[in-house]
Amino acid sequence: MKRFASIIAVVLLAASGAAIAQPAEQYIALPSYRVGPYAAGGSGFYGGIIDYFNLVNLSGGVNGVKISWEECETEYNPSRGVECYERLKTKNGGATLVEPLSTGVAYGILDRLAVDKIPMTMIGYGRSDAANGKVFPYVFPLITSYWNQAAAMIKYLGDKEGGMAKLKGKKIVHLYHDSAFGKEPLPVLEALSKQYGFELIKIPVTPPGSEQQSQWLQIRQAKPDHVILWGWGSMNAVAIKTAQRNGFPREKILGVWWAGSEEDTVPTGDAAKGYSAMTFNTPGNYPVMDEIRKKLYDAGKGNMADSTRIGSVYHMRGVSAAILWVEAMRTAQEKFGKGKRITGEQMRWGLENLNVDEARQKSIGAFGMLPVVKTSCDDHEGSGAVKVQQWDGKKWNAITPNWIVGDKALTRKLLEESSAAYAAEKKITPACIK
């Protein structure tokens, strides 16, 4: 019996040692939304994130560290989003990253991040001046901010007219979701309006935007040369269909990238054919999407109920977000210990030292799917490049072969001014965190 007891003790000790040797999981907080008028965007984006996490976990995680996550339904409501953040941040040993996919929620939790030492990404949205890491050390508007998107839109429209000088005397409508999201590009659009002499006509749409007849009546009366559709959720399909009813050419409408998904165009039928929108992903198929399809969906492990959405606009954006996070984890592990769970502070360092270049994209199976992203303390955005895509009635196609960059000198000037004002208001001494 003594010998038997000794064997059990050795086995238990070995088992406990094995458990100790297992690295803790890397926990990510996802205040998401899968119901309500913005469900299509949320379900596709977060579905893409979770699909990529599962793909990475299938291969053993990030140097052996598995990724875990928890969602909390916000319904795209700012107050609910703040509640979700507070609920999620201390779970599972503490969140090491948060992504709310909502400008309103991002603004609501922004001041808490440095205290909690949890970095927040804003993939293609949010507060644009947060690209200044000296003032916003825990905030990362990765890939391209709203300000650089707006600058690129005006550059594209100028090129379309035959040169930026040709914008003088033109009328451009900014039809926008009446929220922090919709108002975010206004400083850039107003500055460019003064610089190039075009008239900027601002027309708000009360969320969720299910009725827009009065706005399109205003547009018809104004007879603009271009309409920037800065919409989100169900507002976009309503805008495209209402424009058609009012006889406004879809070729003169250019959507923000949150108005450039299949969920925005398919419900409108022929009304969207020829409509263009911005994007920070190049439409198409990629090896990483084939892996997700084969290893997850063919095995019944995909996150989205509808497998036809694999590689769709929102899904691809979610996969892109997760790629950047996983690369930040790898980067941080190189500095703080390979195969170890990193803290929120270490994740912040990883996000600030990203370099997802073309070679790295090729090894991931995502070459050209997103622009090269290289961050620093001065630049938490990492790119600023965009493309324009057009709906052909069945799918999106890139109509600008190369990545477009707008007036970054202007956006940087505005960024410095705005972030300096924020620092003064909050009594922050701008500095890089070593």
Side-chain angles (χ1 to χ4, degrees), residues 316-329:
M316 192 180 289
R317 287 178 191 169
V319 171
S320 299
I323 285 172
L324 295 178
W325 300 345
V326 168
E327 293 309 299
M329 292 174 202

Side-chain angles (χ1 to χ4, degrees), residues 68-135:
S68 67
W69 59 90
E70 187 169 332
E71 295 186 80
C72 176
E73 179 60 52
T74 70
E75 295 185 20
Y76 195 71
N77 180 292
S79 59
R80 274 190 145 173
V82 173
E83 288 171 14
C84 280
Y85 169 74
E86 291 296 331
R87 192 181 310 161
L88 295 173
K89 72 179 184 182
T90 55
K91 291 193 171 186
N92 305 309
T96 52
L97 187 143
V98 63
E99 170 55 80
L101 193 63
S102 161
T103 299
V105 176
Y107 269 83
I109 66 176
L110 190 142
D111 290 339
R112 307 174 189 218
L113 301 168
V115 175
D116 296 336
K117 298 194 184 320
I118 300 173
M120 173 177 69
T121 59
M122 302 181 296
I123 308 291
Y125 74 94
R127 183 167 183 149
S128 300
D129 63 357
N132 185 351
K134 292 177 180 176
V135 177

Side-chain angles (χ1 to χ4, degrees), residues 13 15 85 87 90 111 114 127 146 195 211 255 276 297 318 332 353:
L13 184 63
Y85 169 74
R87 192 181 310 161
T90 55
D111 290 339
R127 183 167 183 149
Y146 284 147
Q195 183 177 344
E211 174 49 55
S276 299
Y297 285 85
N353 290 275

Side-chain angles (χ1 to χ4, degrees), residues 338-357:
K338 190 175 283 190
K340 294 181 180 179
R341 178 190 187 273
I342 57 173
T343 66
E345 292 172 273
Q346 292 167 346
M347 174 69 93
R348 189 212 71 79
W349 188 92
L351 288 165
E352 192 171 85
N353 290 275
L354 270 177
N355 184 15
V356 186
D357 59 14

Side-chain angles (χ1 to χ4, degrees), residues 134-196:
K134 292 177 180 176
V135 177
F136 300 93
Y138 279 84
V139 188
F140 294 83
L142 286 173
I143 305 182
T144 301
S145 69
Y146 284 147
W147 285 2
N148 276 326
Q149 179 182 192
M153 286 174 126
I154 298 302
K155 183 180 189 309
Y156 172 72
L157 293 177
D159 290 346
K160 200 175 174 183
E161 290 286 351
M164 301 304 288
K166 298 288 181 70
L167 287 174
K168 188 173 183 179
K170 301 292 184 183
K171 293 181 181 179
I172 300 177
V173 165
H174 179 57
L175 181 70
Y176 66 97
H177 190 276
D178 195 6
S179 63
F181 152 66
K183 295 170 186 173
E184 184 68 21
L186 287 174
V188 172
L189 294 176
E190 288 166 353
L192 290 171
S193 170
K194 289 177 184 175
Q195 183 177 344
Y196 292 109

Side-chain angles (χ1 to χ4, degrees), residues 51 54 58 291-302:
D51 280 343
N54 279 324
L58 277 177
E291 273 198 275
I292 287 171
R293 188 177 288 106
K294 181 180 177 181
K295 294 180 179 179
L296 297 179
Y297 285 85
D298 288 355
K301 296 176 182 177

